Amino acid sequence: MSKIGFYLILIFFSTTTYSQVILSLEDHSGYIDSIAKVTKNIKSDSLKSLYSFRLSKLYLIVQDVEKSKKYLAQANRLKTKFPYLNDLSIYYNSFSFMDKGDTDGFEKTLLEANKKLKKYNNTEAYRFRASILHNYGILQQRKNNEKGYMKLMVNEAIPIAKKSRDYELISSLYKAVAIIFMNTGEREKANEYLSEAQNYIERALKKTPTLAESKMETYIINAENLVELKHFYDAKKVLDKAFSTLKHFPESNLNDFYFYSEGLYYAKQNKNSNALESYKKGMKSAEKHQNLIALNRLKFAEYQVLFKLKNYLKAKNNLDYLIKNTPFILDKKNYYNELAKVYNAISEYDKAYFYSNKYNTINDSINNTNFQNEIVALEAKYKKAESERKINLLLSQNEKAILMVNNTRLNTILFGVLSFLLFLSVLFLWIFNKNQKKLSAQKEINLKQDLIAFENRHKLSVSKALIQGEEIERKRIARDLHDGLGSMLSGLKIHLNLAKKEKGEIINGVDTLLDNSIKELRNISQNLMPESLLELSLEHALKDLCAANSNTTTKIEFQYLIKKSKLPKNYEIMIYRIIQELLNNASKYANASRVLVSCSQNQDVFFITVEDNGIGFAILDTKNKTGMGLKNIKNRVEFLNGKLEIESKINQGTSTYIELNVINENQEDE
């Protein structure tokens, strides 16, 4: 009864069953029409085909079936010369099976599409494969194979989606797994996955027709789960995030679900009047959108509050409505049980007995069906055992006949066996000699590989020493500048001020020049070794660095998504230098108006993402001719056994993704 529905997962189910709801926040027709206009003017057949496929899906989302079919036909007509589009078309054409109600055909086509797209190693192919596996998983869930659905999501769909870097898609997959845990009552595990889902959806920058709806749905589901865990403070924060957007869209059907979560938040804290008011708003919205699933959930939630308040008449009316309007026999069974409780509470024991009996009848019927299924299964096992016994008897008779024939041929077979053994011996010696030669050649290859590995380790060791030496020298120079030259300049300024007071001479030019010298000295010392990094934390140092690099033309946004992390100081310095170099490159060469710096950590892996909307550059040119800045970054990444990935397109910006292997201080102590 309280199962959570995941309504934005499969848009095609909206044409085949009433239980799926397309969530909408705002009118996307303008966005879709603009893509249709672009598609009309494209000259290239491959691009026109790709855009037509996308339009067919978008029109399916807004339930314009005719236009969806029109663009699908156009895409299929233009795709024939392009292998990738031919393979991709299998996925887009699979939705036609759902239109016919052919679930098996749809399932087979999804598997075929996934198999075809495995040979492409680009982000778009990964995105499509993750969506395909998601859809296939939901089909398994509809067959009551929850475990299969879960394994598919965690082991295949989510890892592939992460390769696509489509944060909205990754969020939806984490949300799907969370809902499975919610439906099985494992709320703590659900909370882990919902936290990840919310984290990814809030990091999604790419505008899509479903981004706003996905974000609202994530907030609403997360709030409901937090309420069930009695984390009321966190639940209120998430509900407020959802409401800050939904208040501008009073006609959206997302309000059907928002008011359910809000009512649950109040009900769990015994704020019953507030809960009833929220449920009332939700039911009004659900009735307007003809959303039967949401309406039934709201009615039952309202019943629970009414029963608690001993308003049995209204509570009974809700149950009467639910019994009349639910299509599910299991839900009806539960409603009969609740109705028996209501009649028992108002001392109408005959009716309480009547509905209790109806509940037991359905329960017994379900159990009896299970018993009959067990009988059928036992009968099938018995018949199988009988068949195997008969087959074994026939095999025994055949073996006796074969044995008699074999006795007459025994001498011939023995001679043949001896000849064959002699042949095998010769063959073995020949193969052994050949393998010895191969082993010698392989040993030589292994020796060369060991020498190369030793040389690489030596280079890395030298690189580490250079980097460490550089940091030590930076510290020394910064200390000398601060303690030596800095103190001298400060003393000179004091003497200058005393001279001005005693002699009354005005030497503003020298005074200003001295102030600027002291300021420049501090900047150089700060750049060499920032005090905030040594005295405070990596987060404070990076905040100061981003603020120092921000100006009127370039806005730098900084996200530090780590709650508790204490790294050794040499690791923090290395991370600071990498981000400092990346920001230096962005400010000098990218001409970007917006730069995003994001830091996160998962156990011993530290993630750095720096994205800008600048002019970009050609990656191939960078590989052939690498500047000192990028070399320094690569050396530091190698020092921490990390990975560096750069994506850049001319006039479309640059994205740098870095993974570093780090050790927390408590681990290092151990």
Side-chain angles (χ1 to χ4, degrees):
M1 174 56 225
S2 61
K3 265 197 171 185
I4 313 300
F6 190 47
Y7 301 107
L8 199 58
I9 298 171
L10 283 177
I11 58 100
F12 49 81
F13 277 123
S14 62
T15 59
T16 58
T17 173
Y18 66 88
S19 65
Q20 298 293 328
V21 179
I22 307 300
L23 299 180
S24 64
L25 192 64
E26 53 190 329
D27 184 10
H28 297 293
S29 58
Y31 172 83
I32 297 171
D33 289 343
S34 67
I35 294 179
K37 197 172 182 180
V38 171
T39 305
K40 186 177 180 181
N41 296 322
I42 288 174
K43 303 290 185 185
S44 165
D45 283 353
S46 61
L47 285 175
K48 191 182 277 283
S49 175
L50 184 61
Y51 272 75
S52 296
F53 276 130
R54 288 175 181 168
L55 277 169
S56 72
K57 187 77 176 290
L58 288 171
Y59 278 119
L60 205 57
I61 289 175
V62 296
Q63 303 183 60
D64 191 337
V65 179
E66 290 303 317
K67 283 188 179 179
S68 176
K69 287 181 178 178
K70 171 191 165 185
Y71 280 102
L72 184 62
Q74 178 172 288
N76 283 324
R77 190 173 65 253
L78 297 169
K79 73 177 170 60
T80 52
K81 297 178 184 177
F82 310 102
Y84 174 70
L85 292 176
N86 278 311
D87 293 335
L88 186 60
S89 68
I90 299 170
Y91 166 65
Y92 280 108
N93 285 304
S94 65
F95 296 104
S96 62
F97 286 98
M98 291 310 300
D99 195 32
K100 300 170 191 172
D102 184 0
T103 309
D104 291 336
F106 179 65
E107 185 174 331
K108 289 176 184 175
T109 312
L110 286 176
L111 291 174
E112 184 186 356
N114 183 50
K115 185 178 178 182
K116 292 282 187 182
L117 290 171
K118 276 183 180 178
K119 58 190 170 190
Y120 303 104
N121 296 319
N122 56 64
T123 54
E124 189 178 65
Y126 290 136
R127 181 165 56 83
F128 281 115
R129 283 187 60 208
S131 297
I132 289 165
L133 290 170
H134 192 187
N135 291 344
Y136 178 75
I138 291 169
L139 292 175
Q140 305 317 301
Q141 186 186 38
R142 289 169 68 85
K143 295 177 182 177
N144 294 321
N145 185 10
E146 289 275 359
K147 286 186 179 178
Y149 179 37
M150 172 78 78
K151 286 176 71 176
L152 191 69
M153 290 294 98
V154 174
N155 297 334
E156 294 188 56
I158 290 177
I160 290 171
K162 285 183 177 178
K163 291 181 181 179
S164 76
R165 302 194 185 282
D166 186 334
Y167 289 162
E168 183 183 352
L169 175 61
I170 298 168
S171 172
S172 71
L173 298 180
Y174 272 109
K175 188 162 43 182
V177 175
I179 287 169
I180 297 172
F181 283 126
M182 288 172 75
N183 287 337
T184 56
E186 298 178 77
R187 297 280 177 174
E188 289 291 352
K189 287 185 178 179
N191 186 46
E192 293 175 21
Y193 281 88
L194 283 170
S195 295
E196 286 293 325
Q198 185 168 319
N199 180 29
Y200 275 107
I201 201 67
E202 288 179 343
R203 290 168 61 193
L205 298 175
K206 186 178 179 182
K207 176 70 175 173
T208 70
T210 55
L211 178 60
E213 288 83 351
S214 283
K215 187 178 287 187
M216 291 305 101
E217 185 191 36
T218 305
Y219 288 152
I220 292 166
I221 294 174
N222 193 15
E224 180 181 338
N225 192 60
L226 288 167
V227 168
E228 293 292 351
L229 289 169
K230 296 185 178 178
H231 298 171
F232 298 120
Y233 176 77
D234 293 331
K236 187 66 169 68
K237 283 172 63 178
V238 178
L239 281 171
D240 287 345
K241 281 186 177 183
F243 184 72
S244 66
T245 298
L246 284 173
K247 67 183 178 183
H248 302 296
F249 301 96
E251 299 302 316
S252 169
N253 62 353
L254 279 157
N255 288 294
D256 307 356
F257 310 105
Y258 168 79
F259 285 116
Y260 175 83
S261 292
E262 185 185 70
L264 197 66
Y265 168 78
Y266 288 125
K268 291 289 183 179
Q269 298 178 85
N270 291 319
K271 298 178 181 178
N272 297 314
S273 59
N274 291 335
L276 291 173
E277 186 180 348
S278 295
Y279 291 145
K280 187 176 180 181
K281 290 177 183 176
M283 286 186 285
K284 185 178 178 182
S285 179
E287 285 170 354
K288 186 192 302 179
H289 300 120
Q290 298 181 346
N291 186 350
L292 181 61
I293 296 293
L295 183 60
N296 283 0
R297 288 190 83 207
L298 286 157
K299 283 274 187 186
F300 188 74
E302 185 187 46
Y303 152 75
Q304 290 176 314
V305 176
L306 291 170
F307 186 85
K308 187 164 57 174
L309 293 172
K310 299 184 179 181
N311 192 340
Y312 299 122
L313 181 60
K314 284 188 177 181
K316 185 184 82 65
N317 290 339
N318 276 32
L319 290 174
D320 289 339
Y321 170 88
L322 289 166
I323 290 168
K324 185 179 178 182
N325 289 280
T326 185
F328 305 117
I329 190 68
L330 286 175
D331 286 348
K332 259 183 190 172
K333 179 192 80 168
N334 292 331
Y335 297 148
Y336 287 141
N337 191 41
E338 295 297 324
L339 204 53
K341 290 180 185 177
V342 172
Y343 279 119
N344 187 59
I346 59 177
S347 302
E348 293 189 31
Y349 302 115
D350 54 338
K351 290 182 179 178
Y353 173 77
F354 173 77
Y355 283 106
S356 180
N357 191 47
K358 290 195 81 167
Y359 165 81
N360 290 328
T361 302
I362 295 174
N363 208 36
D364 291 343
S365 174
I366 293 168
N367 293 335
N368 187 48
T369 302
N370 292 336
F371 177 72
Q372 288 176 346
N373 290 337
E374 289 173 6
I375 292 293
V376 170
L378 286 170
E379 185 179 6
K381 287 179 182 178
Y382 170 76
K383 287 181 178 178
K384 184 180 178 183
E386 277 293 298
S387 298
E388 288 175 350
R389 188 181 65 78
K390 290 178 181 178
I391 290 168
N392 288 334
L393 182 61
L394 289 171
L395 286 173
S396 177
Q397 292 173 349
N398 288 337
E399 283 173 359
K400 287 180 182 178
I402 291 167
L403 186 61
M404 291 176 67
V405 173
N406 286 342
N407 284 335
T408 61
R409 298 178 183 176
L410 183 60
N411 291 331
T412 307
I413 291 171
L414 286 172
F415 177 79
V417 168
L418 289 171
S419 301
F420 182 69
L421 287 173
L422 182 62
F423 169 75
L424 284 178
S425 299
V426 174
L427 183 64
F428 173 77
L429 290 172
W430 179 77
I431 291 171
F432 179 78
N433 184 50
K434 189 176 179 181
N435 285 340
Q436 286 298 319
K437 290 180 180 178
K438 284 185 178 179
L439 284 170
S440 298
Q442 187 62 43
K443 283 180 180 178
E444 188 175 347
I445 292 168
N446 291 341
L447 182 60
K448 288 180 180 178
Q449 289 176 343
D450 289 339
L451 287 171
I452 292 168
F454 176 79
E455 186 179 351
N456 289 337
R457 286 196 299 271
H458 178 68
K459 287 179 181 177
L460 185 59
S461 176
V462 171
S463 177
K464 286 180 179 179
L466 286 172
I467 290 169
Q468 288 173 342
E470 180 187 347
E471 291 302 329
I472 292 167
E473 187 62 16
R474 280 175 179 263
K475 285 181 182 178
R476 187 190 68 77
I477 294 170
R479 186 175 63 251
D480 290 346
L481 285 172
H482 183 271
D483 297 339
L485 186 56
S487 298
M488 291 170 67
L489 287 172
S490 297
L492 182 58
K493 182 170 175 62
I494 292 167
H495 285 298
L496 185 64
N497 289 334
L498 289 171
K500 284 170 69 177
K501 287 179 182 178
E502 292 173 2
K503 297 181 181 181
E505 294 177 359
I506 301 172
I507 42 178
N508 290 327
V510 175
D511 192 27
T512 303
L513 183 60
L514 186 57
D515 284 339
N516 290 338
S517 299
I518 293 171
K519 184 178 180 183
E520 183 62 21
L521 177 64
R522 285 175 180 167
N523 287 338
I524 293 169
S525 178
Q526 177 70 12
N527 193 41
L528 284 168
M529 184 54 61
E531 292 181 4
S532 57
L533 181 59
L534 295 174
E535 296 177 7
L536 297 174
S537 68
L538 177 61
E539 181 181 1
H540 284 86
L542 291 175
K543 268 186 186 174
D544 291 346
L545 179 64
C546 291
N549 282 272
S550 291
N551 52 52
T552 54
T553 57
T554 304
K555 181 183 177 184
I556 299 176
E557 181 182 349
F558 176 64
Q559 295 179 352
Y560 196 81
L561 308 173
I562 307 169
K563 290 183 179 178
K564 291 182 180 178
S565 175
K566 189 65 177 173
L567 302 176
K569 192 57 67 178
N570 62 323
Y571 282 83
E572 290 186 341
I573 292 170
M574 200 69 62
I575 291 165
Y576 180 91
R577 294 297 178 209
I578 290 170
I579 295 174
Q580 186 181 39
E581 200 70 57
L582 288 170
L583 287 179
N584 187 41
N585 288 345
S587 62
K588 278 187 178 180
Y589 310 114
N591 293 334
S593 63
R594 185 180 176 195
V595 180
L596 171 65
V597 178
S598 177
C599 296
S600 58
Q601 186 175 344
N602 184 7
Q603 294 181 352
D604 294 335
V605 182
F606 193 97
F607 300 92
I608 300 171
T609 301
V610 178
E611 300 176 342
D612 67 65
N613 62 351
I615 60 174
F617 62 93
I619 298 291
L620 292 176
D621 291 347
T622 307
K623 288 179 181 176
N624 295 330
K625 186 178 180 181
T626 307
M628 284 303 295
L630 192 54
K631 280 183 178 177
N632 287 337
I633 293 169
K634 286 182 177 178
N635 287 338
R636 287 184 167 90
V637 172
E638 288 175 0
F639 180 83
L640 294 180
N641 298 318
K643 297 177 185 176
L644 170 66
E645 184 178 346
I646 301 174
E647 293 180 0
S648 184
K649 291 184 180 178
I650 301 298
N651 297 325
Q652 293 186 26
T654 302
S655 298
T656 305
Y657 308 97
I658 297 173
E659 294 179 15
L660 303 173
N661 292 306
V662 297
I663 302 173
N664 292 321
E665 279 196 345
N666 56 347
Q667 290 175 299
E668 193 174 51
D669 293 339
E670 291 170 7

